[in-house]
Amino acid sequence: MPLSKRLSAIAQLVIPGAGVADIGTDHAYLPIYLVEHGVATHAIAGEVNQGPYLAAQETIQRASLQSSISLRLGNGLAVLQPGEVETIVIAGMGATTMTDILNACPAVVQAAKRLVVQPMIGAALMRQWLAKHRWAICAEELIIEDDILYEIIAAEPGEMPAMNPLLYEIGPVLWRQKHPLLEYHITQIIKQYTRIAENLKLSKTTEAAERCRQLVKKIEELEEWRTCL
Ligand code: SAM
């Protein structure tokens, strides 16, 4: 089964030759691909909602992979024992949901060797969470699929080096490696912040004015960084 460009990029960041967990697996496309292609020795597919769980069950059965993919119904990392897998993937959710999932099961998170996350929104929050919880970003990828830009982040246990706060927004590895989509990525962040700032200008509260001032400063900084590319 061909994987989407986004899921293929995620698959490339999984530690090969070991177990992987895909939390919020939906149709279980990622674990099926990883096991079928010999990237993962075995997989755990976690899903909290009945509908996607049943869809995953059907796809796994159709692929005859019940013996190498353990499908588990449950909330976030509660479906895992500490150390059961080397890589934990959480993809296709907002960063707030992802950090809630990670915060809920610290023992499972601490026993993992790599986290691969693909937040739909809030990548900066995700990077801040990683740094705060001693996960060092080791790889980052940008993918455009159906006109949507996706950010994928892989991290391993370790201290993140001190860095300019703007790099939480941009991505330290993306910046260091001058990713081909970096300019487009920064432009997208600027557009998003500009939209928020415009909305804040409509509100007359002091808090909104202060938030707007901070955003405008950030937009100016991002524009300056973009000119360095
Ligand atoms: N991970 C897949 C991907 O990236 O293509 C599916 C993404 S889908 C948009 C999000 C999935 O995560 C849904 O199937 C949803 O039911 C599941 N989900 C949301 N919160 C969850 C949680 N706390 N624990 C497990 N699964 C969750």
Side-chain angles (χ1 to χ4, degrees):
M1 191 187 310
L3 263 197
S4 68
K5 211 170 148 187
R6 175 182 63 89
L7 287 177
S8 299
I10 292 172
Q12 301 235 344
L13 294 176
V14 167
I15 298 175
V20 62
D22 181 31
I23 302 302
T25 197
D26 198 356
H27 282 74
Y29 293 140
L30 181 69
I32 289 175
Y33 174 90
L34 290 169
V35 169
E36 274 186 339
H37 289 76
V39 180
T41 50
H42 62 285
I44 294 163
E47 185 46 67
V48 76
N49 288 311
Q50 189 76 12
Y53 172 85
L54 292 174
Q57 193 172 50
E58 196 186 320
T59 338
I60 293 167
Q61 275 169 7
R62 238 186 297 130
S64 304
L65 288 174
Q66 299 94 315
S67 60
S68 36
I69 301 177
S70 167
L71 177 62
R72 301 178 187 176
L73 183 65
N75 189 3
L77 300 171
V79 299
L80 291 180
Q81 292 299 314
E84 257 193 299
V85 292
E86 291 205 353
T87 305
I88 296 175
V89 176
I90 313 178
M93 306 170 204
T96 309
T97 306
M98 290 181 170
T99 53
D100 284 349
I101 287 174
L102 292 162
N103 285 331
C105 296
V108 173
V109 176
Q110 274 159 29
K113 301 264 191 307
R114 189 177 293 176
L115 298 179
V116 180
V117 288
Q118 182 262 302
M120 297 301 290
I121 47 162
L125 171 73
M126 193 65 240
R127 292 189 182 95
Q128 281 156 4
W129 186 96
L130 290 168
K132 186 175 169 205
H133 294 85
R134 298 200 164 83
W135 285 85
I137 296 176
C138 57
E140 288 180 308
E141 186 55 277
L142 291 173
I143 291 290
I144 296 181
E145 192 168 49
D146 299 331
D147 290 334
I148 299 170
L149 181 72
Y150 295 101
E151 289 178 69
I152 304 163
I153 305 163
E156 294 186 343
E159 292 289 333
M160 195 103 88
M163 60 186 190
N164 185 306
L166 219 56
L167 283 175
Y168 289 108
E169 320 271 338
I170 297 171
V173 177
L174 296 172
W175 178 260
R176 195 172 64 234
Q177 297 181 343
K178 298 288 175 279
H179 191 284
L181 290 173
L182 192 58
E183 193 176 347
Y184 181 73
H185 171 48
I186 296 176
T187 303
Q188 293 302 105
I189 303 172
I190 291 171
K191 278 185 183 167
Q192 187 197 345
Y193 285 163
T194 306
R195 272 196 304 271
I196 300 170
E198 293 301 326
N199 281 332
L200 285 169
K201 275 182 200 156
L202 301 174
S203 165
K204 299 293 170 212
T205 66
T206 342
E207 291 82 12
E210 174 54 19
R211 175 95 181 97
C212 185
R213 194 191 60 76
Q214 288 169 2
L215 272 181
V216 169
K217 186 166 170 276
K218 213 182 254 189
I219 291 166
E220 285 166 2
E221 281 174 357
L222 284 162
E223 282 169 343
E224 211 175 300
W225 281 51
R226 189 174 55 179
T227 59
C228 300
L229 293 173

